[in-house]
Amino acid sequence: MDNNNHSGAIQAQAIRAGYGQHIILEQIDLQVLHGGITALVGPNGSGKSTLLKVCTKLLAPEGGSVLLNGENISRLSTREMAKRLAILPQGPVAPANLTVRDLVEQGRYAQVGPFRMLRRQDHEAITRAIDLVRLNDFADRDVDTLSGGERQRAWLALALAQDTAILALDEPTTFLDIGHQLEVLELVQELNREQGMTVLMVLHDLNHAASFADQMVVLNRGQIVGTGQPWETLQPQLLQEVFGVDASIISDPHTDKPLIVAHRSALRTGTVEAMKPANV
Ligand SMILES: Nc1ncnc2c1ncn2[C@@H]1O[C@H](COP(=O)(O)OP(=O)(O)OP(=O)(O)O)[C@@H](O)[C@H]1O
Ligand SMILES: [Mg+2]
């Protein structure tokens, strides 16, 4: 297929997916802009991780297809996928007694030669990835001895060591303090701007999503209910219907991006449909 003739780096079409009998996503069409940052947002349980898993071939859909730069991922091997796309899953667990460097090394296995020996460029990529997340002093520590935030950065380094054109991140700022949250998001932005990396990331913080994403996709109960640039997507009515909050949206004086000030949750009053599990 012609790799240049595509409108999105990831194009998911008519996706129907779930776990056994439990269908979570119905009729999902998603376009992840080539060379852009797309933020996937939505309430807990709305299907964000499920959609990310479908887009990254960790979960086979019941229906529909996913194209990666025009290629149907159902025809790509795990190794071919790993050369094109790196994923930071939600809540990954490392095997015991694995150092940070060992973990990040895993990111090179799709790239190494037939003898599966790490070459100089693999070692360089591993060191660069550890540098990028500033875990140099922790490289020889066991992953299970790290703090939550340090561990999250070690997993991010694994994804970065893969050196792919597409990065899929499921809540990359979990466990991080506000300074490290911004550090990770700024790093992602830098990779996007300087290397043209396409990014699809799940974020809970709507203000971070608004400030770092070119495109936002809002998921609610397994369906896409909003998509577009942050200013067009984040509307008070959508925040009320999807997240059950009353909110003012003001312009961030520093960035001119939308800034949400949530006043009140309507969830406790039970007046909104949001937060009910998908398709129940
Ligand atoms: N492995 C699984 N088996 C069965 N059901 C699952 C599985 N993983 C997720 N689900 C269900 O699918 C629905 C969507 O889950 P998903 O993890 O995609 O939500 P999410 O939007 O990522 O939520 P969160 O913000 O809490 O991470 C939930 O109701 C969840 O319980
Ligand atoms: Mg999730």
Side-chain angles (χ1 to χ4, degrees):
M1 195 170 283
D2 180 5
N3 279 0
N4 297 315
N5 183 22
H6 57 84
S7 42
I10 304 177
Q11 281 175 280
Q13 292 160 342
I15 295 297
R16 174 181 158 84
Y19 306 93
Q21 302 287 330
H22 194 187
I23 293 298
I24 306 295
L25 305 173
E26 284 276 14
Q27 279 301 320
I28 295 276
D29 291 312
L30 173 73
Q31 281 252 14
V32 175
L33 301 174
H34 189 75
I37 298 183
T38 300
L40 187 55
V41 301
N44 292 130
S46 56
K48 303 179 299 295
S49 296
T50 304
L51 182 54
L52 209 69
K53 283 188 241 172
V54 170
C55 289
T56 54
K57 214 184 170 196
L58 294 177
L59 180 68
E62 299 288 324
S65 58
V66 178
L67 307 182
L68 220 56
N69 291 332
E71 289 179 284
N72 194 318
I73 64 171
S74 66
R75 291 199 278 274
L76 296 175
S77 67
T78 308
R79 186 151 183 240
E80 286 166 331
M81 278 299 289
K83 283 185 179 176
R84 290 163 174 74
L85 178 148
I87 177 167
L88 170 72
Q90 183 174 17
V93 180
N97 306 319
L98 203 68
T99 67
V100 169
R101 183 169 278 278
D102 294 337
L103 179 74
V104 178
E105 220 176 272
Q106 316 282 320
R108 295 306 298 173
Y109 286 145
Q111 310 280 355
V112 296
F115 302 110
R116 295 178 70 77
M117 292 280 290
L118 294 176
R119 303 150 301 175
R120 189 165 55 90
Q121 65 262 42
D122 298 312
H123 287 294
E124 283 169 4
I126 292 162
T127 304
R128 192 166 55 241
I130 293 173
D131 271 355
L132 281 172
V133 300
R134 300 204 296 117
L135 279 182
N136 317 56
D137 293 343
F138 298 82
D140 298 318
R141 280 265 298 275
D142 277 5
V143 177
D144 50 16
T145 68
L146 301 179
S147 78
E150 291 156 0
R151 201 174 309 147
Q152 180 77 353
R153 278 148 60 209
W155 281 96
L156 178 62
L158 186 163
L160 297 178
Q162 250 174 273
D163 237 345
T164 54
I166 307 178
L167 192 57
L169 307 169
D170 199 344
E171 299 193 28
T173 54
T174 317
F175 300 117
L176 304 182
D177 64 69
I178 182 70
H180 283 104
Q181 287 181 26
L182 288 175
E183 184 189 32
V184 162
L185 292 169
E186 283 167 5
L187 169 61
V188 167
Q189 187 174 55
E190 198 178 295
L191 293 168
N192 166 259
R193 287 187 180 157
E194 291 177 8
Q195 298 175 27
M197 195 181 263
T198 298
V199 180
L200 170 61
M201 60 180 165
V202 175
L203 288 176
H204 271 300
D205 188 318
L206 296 175
N207 289 325
H208 283 165
S211 110
F212 286 91
D214 302 303
Q215 178 189 226
M216 293 186 67
V217 176
V218 186
L219 211 57
N220 193 25
R221 308 185 73 203
Q223 294 190 322
I224 292 179
V225 293
T227 180
Q229 291 171 7
W231 270 115
E232 41 187 46
T233 312
L234 293 173
Q235 300 290 332
Q237 195 183 340
L238 179 135
L239 296 175
Q240 162 65 236
E241 285 170 7
V242 174
F243 293 96
V245 294
D246 290 339
S248 302
I249 300 171
I250 57 176
S251 181
D252 182 331
H254 195 62
T255 61
D256 291 333
K257 297 286 175 70
L259 191 61
I260 292 160
V261 185
H263 307 295
R264 184 177 75 91
S265 169
L267 290 174
R268 282 161 55 87
T269 62
T271 53
V272 288
E273 288 293 299
M275 303 301 204
K276 287 186 186 163
N279 297 313
V280 171

